[in-house]
Amino acid sequence: MTTQPIKTVAPKPAPVWRHHHILDVDDFSREEIELVFNTTQAMKEVLSRPIKRVPALRGKTLITLFYEPSTRTRLSFELAAKNLGADAASLSAPASSVTKGESLIDTVSTLQALGADIIVMRHPHSGAPYIAAQYVKASIINAGDGWHAHPTQALLDLYTIQEHKESLKGLKAVIIGDILHSRVARSNIWGLTTMGAEVTLCGPPTLLPTELGEQNHHLPPTNIEHDIERALDGADVVMTLRLQLERQQSGLLPSIREYVQLYQLTEARLSLARPDALVLHPGPVNEDIEIASAVAHGPQSVINEQVSNGVAVRMALLYILAGSQKQ
Ligand code: CP
């Protein structure tokens, strides 16, 4: 198989890049996010070739370690690694020695002993990737930890938005739904504000984080709007979040029906946003709960583009990380 080199198209990772691990985007600079965008553009060119492969990560080993289910994140990392010539293996915690009581630290140490250069991990507990990062030389990529962060999802969301808009600066971005339990929302709040967008959060008071407002030590400033019509007025970007249906059982929602009435993104509500507003959703989607089917599949939806861009953005991140490991 012949492959064309990537060096002709991808910018050099140094000196902007400072990270050995990717744990969140809260410590990413605008220049680092722009480096990810530029490198993603080069990866999209690779993916447009008849042979969608380059040997940039030949000799590297990536292992995905997932303690929670995933479709998009896990598969796109595995595809990204293979497209770059890396060896990729996956471990699902429920089918591993974790079920025999093996600790997180012993598990990641074992993956490193098996030759992992990069470990992509998803864990139900916020902070778990930060602990793992203290015990291994391999780069840890956070693929979602508890309610805390999902940095690669945010980066692919930002990339998808900037593909359609000239710049993120000055855009009005509205995030609607269960923000309290959303790692996607938290990472997007950081990424969007770093890139100069104005963020409005919209949802019932019980589903908004308590660290917002005066006690906010952990998130950049955002607008809060409980009324969805007012939130959508003039929006450039509308991001809906999956309603985690178990929230009704935990008493945070009176009923799903009431939530749908008050917060579903319908065609009528979307018409209050700008005519060229983009509709995003990280998936998986509860169609006709947080978003009407007609909107999810409508002309303003970029949900499938988010999924496709996920492969290119993750290729870019692996390429940049591997470049920084050599230094
Ligand atoms: N957006 C996202 O994290 O999807 P998966 O759970 O399918 O990976």
Side-chain angles (χ1 to χ4, degrees):
M1 184 176 73
T2 57
T3 54
Q4 291 177 324
I6 202 170
K7 282 185 186 149
T8 55
V9 286
K12 260 179 98 69
V16 169
W17 189 259
R18 298 164 299 152
H19 307 284
H20 179 65
H21 308 286
I22 299 174
L23 301 173
D24 195 2
V25 286
D26 60 352
D27 58 352
F28 271 46
S29 65
R30 187 170 50 78
E31 291 75 19
E32 285 171 322
I33 294 174
E34 281 168 356
L35 175 67
V36 175
F37 288 173
N38 292 337
T39 312
T40 299
Q41 195 55 38
M43 296 304 165
K44 287 194 80 160
E45 188 279 317
V46 170
L47 292 173
S48 72
R49 297 177 188 172
I51 297 171
K52 303 173 178 49
R53 290 208 167 183
V54 285
L57 264 68
R58 195 161 49 198
K60 296 279 184 186
T61 299
L62 175 140
I63 299 183
T64 59
L65 169 63
F66 275 57
Y67 288 77
E68 284 184 343
S70 167
T71 299
R72 295 153 197 77
T73 313
R74 181 167 156 175
L75 278 178
S76 60
F77 266 114
E78 288 168 14
L79 290 169
K82 286 175 184 166
N83 290 340
L84 291 172
D87 293 318
S90 64
L91 184 66
S92 175
S96 75
S97 290
V98 170
T99 59
K100 300 174 201 163
E102 190 158 41
S103 70
L104 171 65
I105 294 164
D106 284 349
T107 302
V108 291
S109 300
T110 301
L111 299 189
Q112 180 162 274
L114 288 167
D117 298 293
I118 299 175
I119 299 171
V120 178
M121 65 174 285
R122 173 172 289 186
H123 200 283
H125 294 145
S126 298
Y130 291 76
I131 294 170
Q134 291 173 26
Y135 287 88
V136 289
K137 285 194 188 136
S139 294
I140 300 287
I141 301 181
N142 181 3
D145 63 324
W147 302 352
H148 172 242
H150 195 347
T152 64
Q153 178 69 45
L155 289 167
L156 74 88
D157 293 340
L158 297 177
Y159 180 81
T160 304
I161 296 166
Q162 78 89 42
E163 261 196 325
H164 285 267
K165 309 284 180 188
E166 274 186 17
S167 162
L168 288 144
K169 194 170 167 54
L171 294 183
K172 178 179 176 181
V174 182
I175 306 177
I176 303 169
D178 181 1
I179 291 150
L180 175 63
H181 302 98
S182 177
R183 53 199 179 203
V184 174
R186 280 187 180 72
S187 288
N188 265 294
I189 291 168
W190 280 110
L192 285 163
T193 52
T194 298
M195 298 309 286
E198 181 194 321
V199 180
T200 297
L201 307 179
C202 177
T206 49
L207 294 181
L208 289 177
T210 51
E211 70 258 36
L212 292 170
E214 287 175 12
Q215 295 166 13
N216 176 8
H217 302 298
H218 305 294
L219 287 171
T222 53
N223 305 312
I224 308 294
E225 178 55 76
H226 299 299
D227 181 284
I228 189 170
E229 275 89 12
R230 280 206 294 266
L232 286 168
D233 185 28
D236 300 286
V237 174
V238 184
M239 186 178 295
T240 50
L241 300 171
R242 182 172 73 90
L243 182 67
Q244 300 181 33
L245 299 174
E246 62 274 22
R247 301 305 163 209
Q248 194 186 354
Q249 274 82 50
S250 55
L252 293 172
L253 279 178
S255 72
I256 301 296
R257 198 174 60 161
E258 190 174 340
Y259 182 85
V260 167
Q261 278 173 0
L262 290 174
Y263 291 105
Q264 185 186 89
L265 184 63
T266 60
E267 286 178 296
R269 285 172 172 158
L270 182 58
S271 71
L272 301 169
R274 287 174 57 94
D276 59 351
L278 302 174
V279 174
L280 291 93
H281 191 304
V285 176
N286 295 309
E287 278 192 24
D288 294 321
I289 295 186
E290 67 266 10
I291 184 168
S293 294
V295 177
H297 300 287
Q300 289 169 259
S301 170
V302 292
I303 296 172
N304 286 335
E305 287 177 44
Q306 288 173 269
V307 177
S308 300
N309 284 338
V311 178
V313 167
R314 287 167 177 133
M315 285 170 72
L317 292 169
L318 297 179
Y319 176 79
I320 295 168
L321 268 188
S324 69
Q325 284 179 338
K326 280 180 207 144
Q327 292 158 15

